[in-house]
Each structure stands twice: as structure tokens, then as C-alpha cells.
């Protein structure tokens, strides 16, 4: 880049549309929308297109006519006076639209714009955009499994805590949460206290899932980079950690692996890919021996999976004593649930 | 009419580009009018686009044509952009603090080139469009665009030296 080109770039890079101009433009457009909605005789949401076909047709007809008038405006017609008049009219409309803005425009911005993102990776990789009112306003699936979960959970518009519960339920129903599954939750959020609330909700929701949830805070850059790679943030960060540690893995391979497989790969390679805090259940196996009292119909061996390793004979009664071992994953609390096999003896 | 959400997204993505194109031709008060006109037209324009880059090119084309319409009014023909820029503050221009002098020098130099080649040079130098893309935006043969860009660079170098 020549010196001249650099000067041009530096100069224009320093120029940005003033917020006041953007706000007044948005107000003007919303006022126009309200005007068109009024003229069509019914209210129109600022966030969603017109739904009634006949209304839409009338609306479009007028929009096209207005746009056409603007295009056909004669050269020289925009005199200074006309420009001032337009601005005056614009100012009046802007003032008149203040209330509308408060109710619709600003509300529209606030309602429609995500201010935090929650990424959930198990094998399904999904992402929720949460607005400042803690409702889900965007959903995104990074793989087919994620789309299947979103299709079932239908979380658009839900409060995020409810949305997380619906997602956990859908994942469980669709069999994505096995006993050793890892649920990786990544949260992008500027506000510390809000992050803490989201993290708490995530851990509460997923702590009983698989081997538990890991929740961590990601940056907007992580979010952007992961999205660019078409990966959920959890998988992307695991991939980065593995890749940085010299593990031979491509983004595509990582994207196709479950979080459990990525964790296992990390363990094999001696790479710690766990972040943040977690809450989990350990998976343990216990073996127990029980003594039973037969009812005279013969002996029956039982093979149960009780937490305390007790075995219950189907015929006859048996009590087993076993020991369960569990190891919690993550940096949180773990508790073990033992699988005990109890043998009943006559 | 497009949804508020889409307008907000597009204004966020390309508002700066449209504003830069506007102040390339007009002082802030008039640039604001054209900026509003441009996004109002976008809001009313229900035809589909081939993607965000197509939207950006469409917005720039509408904005630049709007600016040229304003410039063609008799009252504005007698005043240079430089004279009109003198009366506006940095905040009106949307210039970051500390960059005012550099921006005004570049705007003044670009304005001194005349148009063409100002539009073609700006789209090439700053927005990075190819000659073919500029020919579509400006409705001008590609060879002519090449020629104007070449001449514009030479003249701008002289104007800035």
C-alpha cells in the first residue's frame, strides 16, 4: 500500500456514522412503518414483516410508489429550503416518534439484539443468543444433531433458564446424554454478574447430565472464530488447545468428534482442555455380595445397578453389600454412583 | 418493508460505509438527509439481494446517486466542499478525535479531483472494489473506470503532495 493509499485509508477509517444520525434514521423508518401500518388499518410489529397477504400487498404497493417517487425526484428539486424542510419534517417525525421509539424502536433494538451468547457442545453443538431481558432471540445449530435438538426444544423467545432446561431435556430424549457424556457450556457475556447468573443456570441445568457440565467464559473473539469455523465454541476451544499442544487434528475432525472424545483425546495427549468450573457426577462401578433367604423356589442371581451396590434377587430376597467408586470430572463437585452386582445365595 | 431487525443489522454493518460515501460529497447536514433517504429506500426495497456484499454495493450506489442529485442543485454548485466543511464540527462529521485534520485534508484533496474520478477512486482505493464492480456501481464501461482510477491516483498524489 502506497503512502497515499495509507493516508486515504487512515482518514476514512476514522470516520463513522454518528449514532445520532443512525438513531434518527431508524426513527424515521419506524415512523414510516407506523404510518403505513396505520394507513392499512391495523397494527404492525416493528420486528416482523406484515403477515396478512392483503395488507402486505397494499404495503408493498405504497412502499414501491414512495421509493419510485424518491427515484423520480427531479434534479435540482432538492433546494436548500427543501432540504431544511425535510430536516424540519424529519425532526418533527423524530419527536413524534419518540414515544413510538420508546415502545417499539428502542424496544425493538433491545428485544432483538443478543447481548450474551451461550454455546452448548455435547455432540450436538448449538448456540443461543440472549437479549438483555434474558430471553432467547437467536438460535444456531452447528451440526445436524444440534438442529435436531433445536427443532425439538423450540426455545426461541423462551427465558434462557427455561430454554436450557428444554435443551437438556431434548438432548436426553434424543440420546445425546449418556453416562459419560461431557456437556461443555461456553458463555460470551461482558457483564460479570450476568455471567455468574448464566453460569449458575447452566450448571444447575446440566449438572445431572452425563458426567456433568463444564461452564466457562469465552470471549467475543472466540465466538467469532468458532462461528467462522462452523464449530460450537466448546469444540473450537478444545480443538485450539489440542492443536496448540501439537496434537495432529483438523478443525473438521474436531467438529465431528463429541466433547467426550475431545476430552479423552486431551487426556491421552496430556493436554488439559478443561476450563472454568464444573459440576458433575462420577461414574463408578461397585461390586457387592449379598446374602439372600430363599423362598424355596430356587436360587436366582441378580445383577442390579444400585447406588449402594445392593443386590435384590428376583425370587427370594437378597441383600448385597457393595462399594461404589465415582470420579467427578471438571473442577466442580463430583459424586459417584456405583453400579453394584449382587449375588444372592441360598 | 424490511424488518427492524434486518435494518438494524445492515445499518450496523454498512452504516459507516454509507456515511463515508455521503461526506465524500456533502457537508454533514446534507449527508444526513441522503443517509436517511438511502436507508429508507433500503427499508422499502423488498427485492432480494444476493448477499451482504450486494446490499453494500446497492447502498453505496443509492447513496452516491443521492449525493450527486443534491450537488446538482443550483445552490450547491457554487460552494466547494472545503468551504462547507469549515462550518461543521468533527462530531457532525463523525470523525474520531485526533483525526480531524487528516480527514479534512483527504476530503479536500478528493473534492479537488472533480467527479469523475472521485467516485471511482474512492471505491477502488478505500472500498477495494475491482474495476468491473465499480463499472456496475457507476454504470460506466470497465475500461473507462480503469482510466479514471489511473488518472485519479496521479491527481490525488499531486493534490496531497
Amino acid at each position: 500500500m502506497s503512502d497515499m493509499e495509507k493516508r486515504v485509508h487512515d482518514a476514512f477509517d476514522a470516520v463513522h456514522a454518528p449514532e445520532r444520525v443512525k438513531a434518527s434514521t431508524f426513527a424515521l423508518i419506524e415512523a414510516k412503518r407506523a404510518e403505513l401500518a396505520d394507513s392499512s388499518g391495523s397494527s404492525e410489529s416493528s420486528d416482523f414483516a406484515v403477515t396478512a397477504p392483503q395488507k402486505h400487498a397494499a404495503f408493498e404497493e405504497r412502499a414501491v410508489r414512495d421509493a419510485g417517487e424518491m427515484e423520480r425526484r427531479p434534479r435540482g428539486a432538492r433546494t436548500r429550503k427543501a432540504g431544511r424542510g425535510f430536516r424540519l419534517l424529519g425532526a418533527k417525525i423524530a419527536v413524534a416518534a419518540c414515544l413510538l421509539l420508546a415502545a417499539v424502536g428502542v424496544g425493538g433494538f433491545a428485544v432483538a439484539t443478543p447481548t450474551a451468547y451461550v454455546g452448548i457442545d455435547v455432540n450436538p453443538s448449538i448456540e443461543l443468543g440472549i437479549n438483555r431481558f434474558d430471553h432467547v432471540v437467536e438460535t444456531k445449530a452447528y451440526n445436524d444433531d444440534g438442529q435436531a435438538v433445536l427443532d425439538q426444544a423450540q426455545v426461541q423467545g423462551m427465558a434462557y433458564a427455561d430454554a436450557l432446561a428444554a435443551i437438556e431435556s431434548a438432548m436426553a430424549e434424543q440420546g445425546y446424554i449418556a453416562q459419560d457424556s461431557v456437556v461443555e457450556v461456553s458463555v460470551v457475556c461482558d457483564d460479570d454478574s450476568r455471567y455468574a447468573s448464566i453460569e449458575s443456570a447452566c450448571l444447575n441445568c446440566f449438572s445431572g447430565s452425563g458426567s456433568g457440565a463444564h461452564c466457562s467464559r469465552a470471549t467475543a473473539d472466540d465466538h467469532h472464530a468458532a462461528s467462522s469455523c462452523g464449530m460450537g465454541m466448546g469444540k473450537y476451544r478444545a480443538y485450539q488447545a489440542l492443536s496448540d499442544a501439537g496434537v495432529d487434528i483438523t478443525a473438521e475432525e474436531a467438529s465431528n468428534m463429541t466433547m467426550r472424545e475431545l476430552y479423552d483425546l486431551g487426556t491421552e495427549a496430556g493436554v488439559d482442555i478443561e476450563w472454568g468450573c464444573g459440576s458433575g457426577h462420577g461414574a463408578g462401578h461397585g461390586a457387592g455380595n449379598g446374602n439372600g433367604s430363599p423362598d424355596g423356589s430356587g436360587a436366582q442371581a441378580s445383577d442390579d445397578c444400585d447406588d449402594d451396590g445392593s443386590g435384590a434377587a428376583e425370587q427370594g430376597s437378597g441383600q448385597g453389600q457393595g462399594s461404589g467408586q465415582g470420579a467427578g470430572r471438571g473442577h466442580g463437585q463430583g459424586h459417584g454412583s456405583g453400579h453394584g452386582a449382587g449375588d444372592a445365595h441360598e | 418493508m424490511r424488518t427492524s431487525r434486518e435494518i438494524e443489522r445492515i445499518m450496523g454493518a454498512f452504516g459507516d460505509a454509507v456515511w463515508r460515501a455521503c461526506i465524500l460529497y456533502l457537508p454533514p447536514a446534507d449527508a444526513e438527509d441522503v443517509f436517511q433517504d438511502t436507508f429508507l429506500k433500503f427499508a422499502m426495497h423488498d427485492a432480494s439481494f444476493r448477499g451482504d456484499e450486494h446490499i453494500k454495493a446497492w447502498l453505496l450506489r443509492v447513496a452516491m446517486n443521492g449525493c450527486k442529485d443534491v450537488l446538482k442543485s443550483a445552490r450547491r454548485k457554487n460552494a466547494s466542499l472545503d468551504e462547507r466543511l469549515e462550518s461543521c464540527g468533527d462530531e457532525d462529521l463523525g470523525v474520531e478525535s485526533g483525526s480531524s485534520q487528516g480527514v479534512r485534508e483527504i476530503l479536500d484533496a478528493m473534492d479537488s479531483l472533480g467527479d469523475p474520478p472521485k467516485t471511482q477512486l474512492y471505491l477502488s482505493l478505500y472500498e477495494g472494489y475491482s474495476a468491473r464492480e465499480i463499472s456496475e456501481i457507476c454504470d460506466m464501461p470497465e475500461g473507462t473506470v480503469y482510466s479514471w482510477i489511473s488518472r485519479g491516483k496521479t491527481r490525488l498524489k499531486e493534490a496531497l503532495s
Side-chain angles (χ1 to χ4, degrees):
Chain A
M1 187 184 288
S2 69
D3 181 53
M4 178 187 72
E5 289 175 43
K6 187 175 183 309
R7 284 180 67 182
V8 170
H9 269 268
D10 288 348
F12 283 107
D13 281 348
V15 176
H16 306 283
E19 288 303 318
R20 179 188 60 78
V21 174
K22 289 199 275 190
S24 67
T25 302
F26 199 78
L28 187 70
I29 291 169
E30 292 307 312
K32 185 78 175 174
R33 187 193 304 280
E35 182 190 327
L36 292 173
D38 285 345
S39 67
S40 67
S42 62
S43 63
E44 181 193 353
S45 161
S46 68
D47 273 307
F48 299 98
V50 188
T51 50
Q54 65 275 27
K55 183 176 156 192
H56 189 66
F59 196 49
E60 285 205 328
E61 186 185 341
R62 178 157 183 173
V64 168
R65 190 171 68 243
D66 287 352
E69 281 170 5
M70 279 187 278
E71 296 286 358
R72 289 195 299 277
R73 191 174 286 156
R75 290 176 181 181
R78 292 192 60 133
T79 61
R80 190 81 186 165
K81 191 175 174 185
R84 282 178 185 155
F86 183 84
R87 279 197 296 282
L88 191 58
L89 178 63
K92 284 179 180 173
I93 292 173
V95 170
C98 277
L99 289 176
L100 176 70
L101 255 183
V104 176
V106 172
F109 271 112
V111 169
T113 307
T115 53
Y117 291 92
V118 176
I120 303 164
D121 292 270
V122 185
N123 184 42
S125 287
I126 61 181
E127 185 179 289
L128 308 179
I130 299 169
N131 69 5
R132 68 191 63 203
F133 303 117
D134 292 337
H135 281 71
V136 175
V137 290
E138 274 184 20
T139 59
K140 188 171 184 180
Y142 286 101
N143 52 20
D144 291 342
D145 291 351
Q147 189 58 54
V149 169
L150 286 178
D151 287 345
Q152 180 177 339
Q154 294 293 316
V155 297
Q156 185 81 23
M158 279 188 190
Y160 72 75
D162 295 337
L164 291 169
I167 285 168
E168 197 274 342
S169 175
M171 282 185 175
E173 279 186 31
Q174 294 184 24
Y176 294 118
I177 298 183
Q179 193 157 18
D180 63 345
S181 298
V182 173
V183 180
E184 189 73 38
V185 181
S186 310
V187 181
V188 179
C189 176
D190 290 338
D191 185 85
D192 290 344
S193 63
R194 194 165 183 229
Y195 168 73
S197 300
I198 295 174
E199 179 192 54
S200 173
C202 291
L203 292 177
N204 280 341
C205 189
F206 288 103
S207 61
S209 306
S211 62
H214 303 121
C215 187
S216 60
R217 197 167 184 174
T219 65
D221 288 342
D222 288 334
H223 177 222
H224 180 72
S227 182
S228 300
C229 288
M231 297 169 76
M233 282 184 278
K235 287 188 181 180
Y236 175 78
R237 295 167 81 198
Y239 158 69
Q240 283 287 10
L242 290 167
S243 184
D244 289 348
V247 176
D248 185 19
I249 184 171
T250 66
E252 189 179 357
E253 286 167 346
S255 180
N256 291 330
M257 292 169 77
T258 65
M259 280 310 301
R260 170 83 273 158
E261 289 167 338
L262 288 166
Y263 265 73
D264 288 346
L265 187 58
T267 304
E268 280 174 26
V271 181
D272 183 10
I273 58 172
E274 297 182 17
W275 308 270
C277 61
S279 167
H281 284 229
H285 298 277
N289 292 312
N291 295 314
S293 301
D295 63 356
S297 61
Q300 176 72 40
S302 72
D303 186 4
D304 286 343
C305 299
D306 290 345
D307 287 351
D308 62 1
S310 65
E314 209 170 273
Q315 293 179 3
S317 63
Q319 286 188 334
Q321 292 182 338
S323 60
Q325 289 184 337
R329 288 192 61 87
H331 303 284
Q333 301 163 343
H335 69 261
S337 64
H339 291 243
D343 296 322
H345 300 284
E346 282 185 39
Chain B
M1 193 172 188
R2 294 179 189 278
T3 63
S4 303
R5 194 177 300 173
E6 183 179 10
I7 294 164
E8 179 195 357
R9 185 181 74 82
I10 295 301
M11 201 184 292
F14 304 127
D16 286 350
V18 171
W19 180 252
R20 287 174 191 130
C22 291
I23 64 156
L24 183 64
Y25 300 90
L26 301 171
D30 293 326
E32 186 174 338
D33 284 352
V34 175
F35 185 91
Q36 289 181 342
D37 268 2
T38 301
F39 278 98
L40 188 57
K41 284 180 182 177
F42 173 73
M44 309 295 272
H45 188 79
D46 280 339
S48 60
F49 289 96
R50 293 190 298 275
D52 281 2
E53 280 306 310
H54 187 201
I55 293 175
K56 182 184 178 184
W58 186 91
L59 288 170
L60 288 177
R61 179 178 175 148
V62 170
M64 287 175 161
N65 286 340
C67 290
K68 288 173 186 175
D69 281 348
V70 173
L71 283 174
K72 281 169 187 167
S73 66
R75 285 178 64 90
R76 284 163 177 74
K77 281 185 177 173
N78 296 326
S80 73
L81 180 64
D82 188 37
E83 288 168 355
R84 284 174 279 126
L85 284 176
E86 282 177 6
S87 60
C88 69
D90 291 347
E91 197 176 323
D92 295 329
L93 268 177
V95 179
E96 292 171 5
S97 60
S99 303
S100 175
Q101 191 181 347
V103 171
R104 288 170 190 265
E105 280 175 5
I106 293 296
L107 287 175
D108 187 29
M110 294 286 279
D111 199 45
S112 71
L113 303 179
D115 194 23
K118 180 165 73 172
T119 302
Q120 294 73 21
L121 192 60
Y122 173 76
L123 291 173
S124 169
L125 274 190
Y126 186 70
E127 293 293 351
Y129 284 113
S130 67
R132 186 182 57 75
E133 291 165 329
I134 295 170
S135 76
E136 289 171 5
I137 294 173
C138 298
D139 198 18
M140 180 181 274
E142 196 172 327
T144 312
V145 171
Y146 272 118
S147 172
W148 279 122
I149 291 173
S150 173
R151 276 188 249 176
K153 281 183 178 174
T154 306
R155 285 197 220 164
L156 184 62
K157 200 174 288 180
E158 290 168 2
L160 290 172
S161 60

